[in-house]
Amino acid sequence: MKKVNIAVVGATGMVGRTFLKVLEERDFPYNKIYCFASKRSAGTKVKCKGEDIIVEELTETSFDRDIDIALFSAGGTTSEKFAPIAASKGVIVVDNSSHFRMDKDVPLVVPEVNPHAIFEHKNIIANPNCSTIQAMVALKPLQEKYGIKRVVFSTYQAVSGSGVKGVTDLENGLKGSLETNCYPHPIANNCLPHIDVFMDNGYTKEEMKMINETKKILGDDSLKITATAVRVPLYDCHSESINVELDGSFDIENVFELYRDYKGIILQDDVANNVYPLATTAKGTDDVYIGRIRRDFSLDNGLNIWVVADNIRKGAATNAVQIAEVLITR
Ligand code: A2P
């Protein structure tokens, strides 16, 4: 792997700090690393590979130096403004916001699923929505082997997906407070069928992201998909029930085999011993856990699976770093 200069934008945030952790853990081969955040954080320090890095304010001149790859996670508005500036200066941006995901000139990539799309970039590559990423890793082997006709997503998403504000709402709620700062209702002791804003069609934006991003990543506009995205009172990891209608008939044993051997997937399905994927198992790891594999008897070719992953790692930071790793192998 060649060594590059790398930038982290949003380095003080929840995903940004995880970028640094993942770069360190995977010993990503960089020469220099630059960290950017808002003016508020300028001058503070973050750490990567044992080195203290002084956070700089992100400005229009931040990329006027030798930076090869920039990992962005500083919100859609910051990406909208600064990713094109970086791209125009020859930096390859891997952007975690939703801003560019559906742009036809921007590849939307899960490295285990559509790595070929990475090199179609015009200096901006989008990291998919956290719930979409883990679902894609689970669906790709099924698409390759059987073909997919229809998908029903039901998600159970942790508060860390809403950043520090979501975590604080849960912490305060568990102490008895009914005041909220992030969600429209208390998240403690509730499941909220409301992630991101409601759209005119009655879906939330999060649900529409799952639907549209899935079609783009799997390269199939004809896929029939519906989704219900729910915020649950867990700190970390997203869990998903995925109901799939396959194109052809299948043997359930073969589905187990498929998942047993697939890169990035850990099969955990031994119901006789109460073994199935849990948020507490996935936390802090980079894999996608799959279990509760069973036939949907209400359809000819229906399948149910339960999928869990760490939303801040595989659902955000790790996926972006994996994209950067593919970039530097060329
Ligand atoms: P800061 O800490 O200075 O506010 P999270 O999603 O966890 O809230 O993190 C958001 C990240 O994006 C933080 O690092 C935050 O920096 C950064 N950020 C927010 N607004 C801007 C901005 N206008 N320019 C640069 N970075 C920003």
Side-chain angles (χ1 to χ4, degrees), residues 9-15 36-41 58 73-75 78 82 163-164:
V9 176
T12 51
M14 204 176 270
V15 174
F36 300 104
S38 77
K39 197 174 183 174
R40 289 181 290 279
S41 306
L58 181 70
S73 191
T78 305
F82 290 97
V164 176

Side-chain angles (χ1 to χ4, degrees), residues 141-149 223 244-248:
L142 299 175
Q143 187 196 32
E144 274 176 349
K145 188 160 169 84
Y146 305 106
I148 295 175
K149 204 177 267 177
L223 266 180
V244 196
E245 184 180 359
L246 299 170
D247 273 340

Side-chain angles (χ1 to χ4, degrees), residues 107-118 140 216-218:
L108 183 63
V109 178
V110 181
E112 295 89 340
V113 177
N114 60 340
H116 55 273
I118 291 178
K140 181 66 179 179
K216 179 166 174 177
I217 296 164
L218 294 181

Side-chain angles (χ1 to χ4, degrees), residues 51-69:
E51 178 197 354
D52 280 329
I53 306 147
I54 296 177
V55 176
E56 300 175 47
E57 180 189 355
L58 181 70
T59 68
E60 291 179 20
T61 57
S62 294
F63 301 96
D64 291 354
R65 51 189 136 174
D66 190 14
I67 295 172
D68 300 285
I69 298 174

